[in-house]
Amino acid sequence: MTHLFFPSRWWAFTSVISFGLMLAACTAPDAAPPKGLEAPGEPHVLRLLVKLTRATADPAQVSRQVSDAAGVPVQYRAAASTAWHAVTLNCPTEARCTQALQRLRQSPTIQDVEVDRPVVVPSSPPSL
């Protein structure tokens, strides 16, 4: 089955992967420390890609909509389209971020949620 924007499933898959790599490269300097290395009392940060049920290009509206659905403060990062947006959840604890992620996945205003994990690309090819 073909789609107007994705003539084949393989093309759609590679496009999504390319987008994820591009987004990770753009936001990697702000990456949260590895799990377990956060300073005591420091808020937990969770980077997400969210797809809205009703597309919008307004960052303030996206932040408000995602924050209302998650129940925690949200920082807007970037837009991939009018439906897909990169955001950061700012939670007091990891447990609160997990609960917020569950609320987003159950929200009727959010169509899809993906955790944005940084991708490490080696600077040189491995030696043989």
Side-chain angles (χ1 to χ4, degrees), residues 22-102:
M22 176 204 57
L23 191 58
C26 291
T27 59
D30 297 335
K35 187 175 179 177
L37 296 181
E38 299 97 354
E42 194 172 303
H44 187 75
V45 175
L46 182 62
R47 296 174 4 179
L48 302 173
L49 297 170
V50 294
K51 183 177 184 183
L52 304 176
T53 305
R54 298 188 73 181
T56 181
D58 180 17
Q61 184 178 355
V62 172
S63 295
R64 192 170 39 255
Q65 188 174 348
V66 175
S67 181
D68 289 348
V72 296
V74 170
Q75 179 182 5
Y76 185 84
R77 307 295 282 166
S81 68
T82 56
W84 280 99
H85 301 273
V87 297
T88 301
L89 300 183
N90 300 304
C91 310
T93 64
E94 184 176 355
R96 288 284 306 273
C97 271
T98 302
Q99 293 167 354
L101 182 59
Q102 289 173 346

Side-chain angles (χ1 to χ4, degrees), residues 69 99-110 113:
Q99 293 167 354
L101 182 59
Q102 289 173 346
R103 284 191 294 272
L104 285 173
R105 288 188 169 142
Q106 295 170 352
S107 173
T109 60
I110 308 296
V113 180

